[in-house]
């Protein structure tokens, strides 16, 4: 896979062209042909597509897109762009041209998640839709947040607005799987990531740092880091690889670094102690003084299972998603406890001959794609597949 200038991979450029073409189709050619199509699904899919543009910017809020339609034409659209900023419904209404504002009482609003009904960083979106007297609201998913949880829909219905829910519900849950996991399972969404050689090893026996995956795969990992709230590694990975766990090969925010150091044995010269980004050190020992405000020691009780206690603390800190980048012991421990939601495994043509065996994974292969000379394999837990 070749790259454009600026290390912009062709695959992402292609996706951008597809998205932009679809946008032109919906906005330049406002009248949509609906033969053999369901307009509700078409407009909701556009809203879902818009929602993805907030990825990596809105957590702990969900990804939300909104489209306003009058007589088969899109007259407004928007998405939640950043945490603390305007919600998708506000963005969509503000995008309506002045000459079309009078059409709002005759329009249908398509929104990917139940409009909020409470005051947070911004006023309630349900109140805004009531104020604008929109005719219909079509929703993809109910909001699992107890602060909303049906209250937004009830407020709309009480105002005489016709409300329909469940349109492309499965696609909406997949889009906001981190958000739903956080509220339903009371823990972050967990993504396991590793690269393994063609002969099944994840690292050399002597723990010396070695790139198993190719440069495009490593760039993809940096993009993933911008999309998740935190990145986690175990003690040996921190010690022997000395990873920065930041974003250098992509553009976006750094995740919170999460390090396991039960006995506080890691050397303070490691990058994870440099104070350059928020870092949580989970230990069984009393916290140590630190010169960096960004570095926080969290002492867990030895009376409780360590990993479960750590995830509970991350939940309390509003960390909705974590990508776990090693090592083998930590990855296998999470697999054995069935504490994972997704696994992304790079299969490399490199052969090590001997070394540390890759984790043993029992899951359903849901996607396989080439990334340079590697193959990216994506797995879901079998229980998750059965529940779909």
């Amino acid at each position: 896979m070749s790259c454009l200038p600026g290390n912009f991979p062709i695959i992402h450029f292609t996706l951008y062209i597809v998205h932009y073409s679809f946008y032109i189709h919906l906005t330049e050619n406002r009248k949509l042909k609906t033969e053999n199509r369901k307009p509700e699904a078409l407009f909701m899919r556009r809203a879902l597509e818009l929602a993805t543009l907030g990825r990596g910017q809105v957590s702990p809020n969900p990804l939300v897109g909104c489209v306003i339609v009058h007589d088969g034409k899109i007259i407004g659209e928007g998405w939640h762009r950043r945490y603390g900023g305007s919600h998708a419904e506000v963005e969509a209404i503000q995008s309506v041209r002045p000459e079309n504002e009078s059409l709002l009482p005759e329009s249908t609003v398509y929104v990917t998640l139940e409009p909020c009904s409470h005051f947070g960083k911004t006023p309630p979106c349900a109140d805004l839709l009531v104020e604008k007297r929109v005719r219909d609201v079509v929703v993809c998913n109910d909001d699992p947040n107890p602060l909303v949880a049906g209250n937004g829909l009830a407020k709309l219905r009480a105002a005489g607005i016709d409300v329909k829910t469940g349109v492309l519900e499965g696609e909406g849950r997949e889009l906001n799987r981190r958000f739903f996991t956080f509220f339903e399972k009371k823990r972050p969404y967990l993504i396991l990531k590793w690269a393994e050689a063609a002969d099944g090893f994840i690292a050399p026996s002597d723990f010396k740092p070695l790139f198993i995956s190719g440069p495009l795969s490593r760039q993809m990992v940096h993009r993933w880091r911008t999309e998740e709230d935190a990145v986690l590694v175990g003690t040996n990975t921190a010690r022997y690889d000395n990873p920065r766990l930041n974003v250098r090969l992509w553009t976006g925010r750094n995740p919170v670094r999460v390090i396991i150091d039960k006995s506080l044995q890691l050397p303070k010269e490691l990058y994870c102690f440099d104070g350059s980004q928020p870092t949580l050190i989970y230990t069984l020992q009393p916290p140590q003084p630190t010169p960096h405000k960004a570095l926080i020691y969290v002492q867990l009780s030895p009376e409780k299972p360590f990993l479960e206690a750590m995830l509970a603390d991350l939940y309390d800190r509003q960390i909705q998603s974590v990508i776990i980048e090693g090592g083998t012991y930590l990855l296998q421990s999470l697999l054995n406890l069935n504490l994972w939601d997704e696994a992304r495994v790079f299969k490399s043509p490199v052969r090590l001959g001997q070394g540390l065996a890759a984790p043993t994974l029992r899951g359903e292969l849901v996607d396989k794609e080439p990334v340079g000379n590697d193959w990216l394999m994506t797995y879901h837990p079998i229980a998750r597949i059965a529940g779909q």
Side-chain angles (χ1 to χ4, degrees), residues 185 187 190 332-341 362 381-384:
K185 296 186 177 181
R187 64 162 175 80
L190 302 177
Q332 192 65 62
S333 296
L334 291 166
L335 285 166
N336 292 344
L337 292 169
N338 201 30
L339 286 174
W340 66 290
D341 300 290
R362 287 187 67 254
I382 294 174
R384 175 178 169 184

Side-chain angles (χ1 to χ4, degrees), residues 62-80:
L63 298 166
V64 184
C66 181
V67 172
I68 303 174
V69 178
H70 178 268
D71 193 25
K73 301 177 184 178
I74 292 179
I75 64 171
E77 61 180 24
W79 68 94
H80 186 31

Side-chain angles (χ1 to χ4, degrees), residues 159 175 184 191 203 224 246:
L175 172 71
E184 293 173 356
I191 302 170
W224 291 344
N246 59 9

Side-chain angles (χ1 to χ4, degrees), residues 133-204:
R133 299 182 293 114
V134 300
R135 185 186 64 195
D136 307 291
V137 174
V138 180
V139 176
C140 190
N141 300 109
D142 293 7
D143 193 330
N145 186 340
L147 294 175
V148 185
N151 294 323
L153 300 178
K155 186 174 287 190
L156 296 175
R157 290 184 173 117
I161 297 173
D162 187 45
V163 177
K164 182 176 182 178
T165 63
V167 175
L168 301 186
E169 182 178 10
E171 294 181 32
R173 283 189 64 89
E174 181 65 19
L175 172 71
N176 276 312
R177 57 193 184 275
R178 297 158 180 82
F179 186 71
F180 281 99
T181 296
F182 181 79
F183 282 103
E184 293 173 356
K185 296 186 177 181
K186 310 299 182 188
R187 64 162 175 80
Y189 184 87
L190 302 177
I191 302 170
L192 310 182
K193 191 279 303 182
W194 72 85
E196 68 179 69
D199 47 7
F201 297 108
I202 194 174

Side-chain angles (χ1 to χ4, degrees), residues 304-380:
K304 297 180 179 180
F306 188 90
L307 292 177
E308 288 92 332
M310 180 184 67
L311 294 177
D313 185 77
L314 290 172
Y315 172 82
D316 290 340
R317 295 175 187 274
Q318 297 291 299
I319 300 291
Q320 287 194 3
S321 62
V322 181
I323 184 165
I324 298 97
E325 298 194 13
T328 302
Y329 179 80
L330 174 58
L331 292 165
Q332 192 65 62
S333 296
L334 291 166
L335 285 166
N336 292 344
L337 292 169
N338 201 30
L339 286 174
W340 66 290
D341 300 290
E342 187 176 336
R344 301 172 183 175
V345 182
F346 290 106
K347 302 279 190 176
S348 168
V350 172
R351 305 185 73 88
L352 298 185
Q354 60 181 353
L356 302 177
T360 302
L361 171 67
R362 287 187 67 254
E364 182 81 16
L365 178 65
V366 296
D367 193 34
K368 177 180 179 180
E369 62 174 304
V371 182
N373 293 326
D374 304 323
W375 281 94
L376 172 59
M377 322 290 280
T378 303
Y379 299 87
H380 288 171

Side-chain angles (χ1 to χ4, degrees), residues 230-239 242-245 256-267 270-274 277-284 295-298 300 306-307 310 314 322 326 330:
V231 55
L232 165 65
V233 297
T235 307
N236 284 337
T237 298
R239 177 191 289 115
N242 192 18
R244 289 178 171 86
L245 301 178
V256 174
R257 294 185 295 208
V258 181
I259 314 295
I260 294 176
D261 187 10
K262 293 182 182 180
S263 303
L264 294 182
Q265 58 183 278
L266 291 174
L270 297 177
Y271 286 121
C272 61
F273 295 107
D274 64 9
Q277 69 199 76
T279 303
L280 299 171
I281 309 293
Y282 283 92
T283 180
L284 295 175
L295 181 61
I296 298 174
Y297 287 87
V298 183
L300 300 179
F306 188 90
L307 292 177
M310 180 184 67
L314 290 172
V322 181
L330 174 58

Side-chain angles (χ1 to χ4, degrees), residues 9-118:
I10 288 292
I11 185 171
H12 300 300
F13 182 74
T14 302
L15 288 173
Y16 173 79
I17 291 298
V18 171
H19 290 174
Y20 185 70
S21 299
F22 190 53
Y23 175 81
I24 292 297
H25 173 70
L26 291 179
T27 55
E28 294 294 325
N29 305 308
R30 292 296 179 100
K31 271 293 188 183
L32 296 173
K33 297 179 180 179
T34 57
E35 300 87 349
N36 302 318
R37 299 182 185 181
K38 293 183 178 180
E40 281 185 350
L42 186 64
F43 290 124
M44 187 60 79
R45 188 158 282 116
R46 172 59 182 165
L48 288 166
E49 182 183 56
L50 288 168
T52 65
L53 299 177
R55 184 169 285 134
Q57 304 296 324
V58 303
S59 181
N61 287 348
L63 298 166
V64 184
C66 181
V67 172
I68 303 174
V69 178
H70 178 268
D71 193 25
K73 301 177 184 178
I74 292 179
I75 64 171
E77 61 180 24
W79 68 94
H80 186 31
R81 297 170 183 265
R82 61 179 178 82
Y83 178 67
S86 299
H87 288 190
E89 298 93 325
V90 177
E91 292 276 337
I93 287 175
Q94 290 179 345
S95 75
V96 176
R97 294 175 180 174
E99 63 268 26
N100 289 333
E101 289 181 359
S102 62
L103 301 178
L104 286 173
E106 303 170 3
S107 299
T108 299
V109 175
Y110 294 85
V111 60
T112 57
L113 194 70
E114 174 183 358
C116 64
S117 56
H118 65 290

